[in-house]
Amino acid sequence: MIKYIYEDMGLDDISLMDLRDLDSPAALGPNLIMLFATARNERHLHVSSGRFVRWLKRGFKVEARADGLIGPGELKTKLRRMRKKAKLMGTNTMILPGGDNGISTGWVCVNFSTSDAVSDESVSYDDSGRFSGFGAAPTGTTVVVQCMTEPRRIELDLETLWQGILRRSLEQTIKMKGQAVPERRELESMLSSRIQLPNTASAVQWQKMQQASQQRRYFSASARALQTRVEGPSLPTRSADLESDDQTTNAELGLAELGSLAAQLTNLLTSGTSLTPEVVENLVLAIFQATSAEGEALLRLQLVDRLLLTAEERGMAVQSINMLVSLIEAVVSSPAYGPQLERAQRNLEYLLLSMRKPLEHSQTMRLMTAYAGRRAWDRFWDTFRAPARFCIPRPAEMYELVYRVLASTRDSKQCIDALRWVYPEMLKEVPPVYPTGMVYTWLKACILVADPAAEDLLHNPPPADSLDTIGKRRLKRREFVGVLKGVEDLHQHFVGQEARAERARALNRLYTGHVAPE
């Protein structure tokens, strides 16, 4: 069977666990033997698992059960239902871009037993001959094959789970027999005799990395200070100077050439100056915004990598949400943006997404502004939808930014597509965002980009006598004339409400002023 799993099914990194000594037996069945194997991808997982089940039934007359297996017919049905659902829901912000939507599982559990005979229950006695209860003696062996994709296997880490269960079972069995609990080394030896893990090159490398990470390391800037410093304009060497002159330093560094900035950065790092997150973010922005010749994106990445490494050595948390947002913003807005920086951007976005934490509204708007400047509209809208996935309402400032960006594009098609779902969602926020202030100004500008004649048709419609029946219907059903009318009505309502409230406050102050002297 193991040969078939490895050669015919093509699964890798096979692990074997002998769990027959578990007391009490696992819920999967008595006399349990469990195998773990890794498939190349989702398709390989389901195809190989289905063939394995059919191979057991055809060759050994064994009825195996495959939990999580999606057959070809079921997959077609789910895809058809998903397409139908997407067609009905349209552009829904709660649909995760790139998600599997319940189609992929990443994990198939094939289990079967080597004995189908049903044994009758009988009286059970313990070692001393005393009655202990009723039950059926377990016969045969239960075999479970856990087939998973590599990301799913790393995420679940079932090997560690079952190792812990087996270790606790061995300890309890030894204690119940009245024997002395063995030392940790002896217990690990007993455990290793029942477990066979894959000894791949990647596993060995990971083990060495774990051992290296347990070493204590001491960092000092004195060794770097002994190196020959590159001549160039000097940066402030005191953190107080850096904090007080942030704006001046940013302006100077942003206009500096990349070579000069590299020399200044070397001088700063070798001087042992204490770094703060604000200073690091400003330096990162200066590196990506510095003027240079084409083809120097790699040098910028090397400088930023060196800066972040030094900051991490000095105890700063560089893999924070704010730092990742600053890095993405600087990369996207860099004048040297190209394939190399685009690849770095994707890696940073993956790290930010893997944190699975909501961004602050200011951070979301920073990313949206950067993506809009690069005309990366897919990322722009994905960032705009992100708060809704965490059930966080979007503020009026975010909608103002959206309308301002759309109006600045002067693209009627894009404004039409966005207004059809952004404006209704704005009114459905909790609490609702109404068209007042700057939101009203830019929303109206966006509507006029979508339909330049909407305002004129709303306030100065053509005479009814000059239109035929079809013309009257078109005017009545003109989409953005109706949208603009609704926006104007809401705006006038809230302006009038605010005026009445202000008048009431003025009267209250006047009344209070007359009553106070008495």
Side-chain angles (χ1 to χ4, degrees):
M1 184 186 69
I2 296 179
K3 182 179 179 181
Y4 179 84
I5 292 174
Y6 180 72
E7 294 183 356
D8 294 18
M9 294 176 63
L11 302 182
D12 300 323
D13 298 338
I14 299 177
S15 302
L16 177 63
M17 286 191 178
D18 185 0
L19 304 175
R20 290 177 291 182
D21 293 335
L22 285 180
D23 189 16
S24 58
L28 291 170
N31 299 328
L32 178 62
I33 294 179
M34 188 174 294
L35 285 87
F36 299 88
T38 303
R40 292 190 297 272
N41 49 45
E42 191 77 25
R43 178 180 176 82
H44 179 218
L45 172 68
H46 293 288
V47 171
S48 59
S49 301
R51 289 178 179 175
F52 181 53
V53 172
R54 292 190 293 271
W55 177 74
L56 290 172
K57 185 176 182 179
R58 182 178 61 253
F60 304 95
K61 309 299 180 183
V62 173
E63 292 290 340
R65 177 181 175 182
D67 297 323
L69 177 63
I70 300 178
E74 185 179 0
L75 180 60
K76 291 180 181 178
T77 303
K78 287 192 174 185
L79 287 173
R80 184 174 66 253
R81 289 175 179 172
M82 189 187 71
R83 287 194 297 267
K84 184 177 179 181
K85 182 179 179 181
K87 184 177 179 181
L88 292 174
M89 298 183 68
T91 54
N92 193 325
T93 58
M94 298 306 294
I95 296 179
L96 291 175
D100 55 31
N101 298 306
I103 293 178
S104 61
T105 59
W107 179 18
V108 176
C109 177
V110 181
N111 58 87
F112 60 92
S113 178
T114 59
S115 176
D116 294 333
V118 180
S119 58
D120 297 332
E121 291 191 357
S122 59
V123 180
S124 300
Y125 300 93
D126 58 11
D127 295 338
S128 61
R130 292 182 297 179
F131 170 75
S132 61
F134 298 93
T139 59
T141 303
T142 303
V143 180
V144 176
V145 182
Q146 306 278 10
C147 306
M148 291 172 279
T149 58
E150 186 174 2
R152 191 68 166 171
R153 186 171 181 178
I154 295 173
E155 177 187 358
L156 296 176
D157 196 13
L158 293 181
E159 289 95 330
T160 304
L161 172 66
W162 284 104
Q163 285 182 37
I165 294 174
L166 182 58
R167 182 184 294 107
R168 290 191 295 271
S169 177
L170 292 175
E171 291 178 353
Q172 292 176 0
T173 302
I174 293 174
K175 290 180 181 178
M176 290 175 62
K177 291 181 179 180
Q179 301 176 2
V181 179
E183 297 181 356
R184 182 179 181 84
R185 183 175 300 177
E186 296 180 5
L187 189 61
E188 291 296 333
S189 177
M190 296 171 58
L191 189 65
S192 61
S193 64
R194 294 168 172 81
I195 297 174
Q196 183 178 357
L197 298 177
N199 191 17
T200 60
S202 59
V204 173
Q205 183 180 6
W206 176 249
Q207 185 178 6
K208 291 182 178 179
M209 290 176 63
Q210 284 183 324
Q211 293 175 356
S213 64
Q214 296 174 359
Q215 300 176 359
R216 297 189 64 183
R217 300 182 180 183
Y218 300 90
F219 299 97
S220 174
S222 59
R224 296 181 183 178
L226 295 176
Q227 299 176 356
T228 304
R229 297 183 181 179
V230 182
E231 295 183 358
S234 60
L235 286 174
T237 57
R238 292 182 294 112
S239 59
D241 295 341
L242 287 170
E243 294 175 359
S244 61
D245 297 337
D246 274 347
Q247 297 180 353
T248 305
T249 304
N250 289 341
E252 294 176 356
L253 294 180
L255 298 176
E257 293 184 357
L258 189 59
S260 175
L261 184 60
Q264 298 180 45
L265 184 63
T266 302
N267 188 17
L268 173 65
L269 298 181
T270 56
S271 63
T273 305
S274 60
L275 298 175
T276 62
E278 293 78 12
V279 173
V280 173
E281 292 176 9
N282 293 335
L283 289 173
V284 168
L285 182 62
I287 291 172
F288 283 112
Q289 294 295 331
T291 58
S292 66
E294 296 182 359
E296 293 189 355
L298 183 60
L299 177 58
R300 298 173 190 265
L301 294 175
Q302 290 174 349
L303 290 175
V304 171
D305 183 62
R306 182 182 174 189
L307 173 63
L308 295 179
L309 178 61
T310 304
E312 188 176 19
E313 289 175 353
R314 298 183 185 181
M316 187 183 303
V318 296
Q319 197 171 342
S320 61
I321 292 180
N322 192 51
M323 182 64 70
L324 290 175
V325 170
S326 300
L327 286 169
I328 296 173
E329 182 184 16
V331 168
V332 173
S333 59
S334 175
Y337 189 82
Q340 291 178 329
L341 291 185
E342 186 178 2
R343 184 166 58 251
Q345 174 193 344
R346 289 197 300 267
N347 295 336
L348 292 170
E349 289 170 346
Y350 176 78
L351 290 176
L352 185 62
L353 185 63
S354 62
M355 290 186 174
R356 298 182 180 180
K357 294 181 180 179
L359 302 180
E360 297 179 0
H361 293 315
S362 59
Q363 296 170 343
T364 303
M365 294 171 64
R366 285 167 56 191
L367 289 180
M368 290 173 61
T369 304
Y371 290 142
R374 189 57 61 183
R375 294 295 189 266
W377 298 116
D378 290 340
R379 289 186 171 92
F380 176 85
W381 292 119
D382 188 30
T383 307
F384 176 72
R385 294 185 180 101
R389 300 187 193 118
F390 295 94
C391 298
I392 298 176
R394 287 169 289 217
E397 292 79 7
M398 193 174 297
Y399 284 97
E400 176 195 342
L401 173 63
V402 170
Y403 296 137
R404 184 171 71 249
V405 169
L406 291 174
S408 64
T409 61
R410 313 302 298 175
D411 187 349
S412 60
K413 184 178 183 302
Q414 189 169 2
C415 290
I416 290 172
D417 293 339
L419 283 172
R420 285 174 176 169
W421 67 274
V422 174
Y423 178 64
E425 284 199 4
M426 183 182 77
L427 300 179
K428 294 178 182 178
E429 293 284 353
V430 182
V433 178
Y434 293 110
T436 58
M438 296 304 297
V439 176
Y440 164 75
T441 303
W442 288 110
L443 174 58
K444 184 176 179 180
C446 187
I447 293 174
L448 294 180
V449 172
D451 188 356
E455 187 174 15
D456 187 45
L457 291 175
L458 177 63
H459 298 293
N460 301 307
D465 299 338
S466 62
L467 298 176
D468 56 3
T469 305
I470 297 178
K472 293 178 182 178
R473 290 179 180 176
R474 286 179 178 175
L475 179 61
K476 183 178 180 180
R477 298 177 182 177
R478 191 150 178 161
E479 180 179 4
F480 290 101
V481 174
V483 173
L484 182 60
K485 184 178 184 304
V487 171
E488 294 284 2
D489 292 343
L490 284 174
H491 178 67
Q492 292 177 4
H493 170 73
F494 284 101
V495 168
Q497 186 177 6
E498 185 177 355
R500 288 191 295 271
E502 181 63 28
R503 185 167 60 251
R505 287 193 294 268
L507 291 174
N508 189 21
R509 288 194 299 269
L510 182 62
Y511 176 76
T512 305
H514 283 296
V515 174
E518 297 179 0

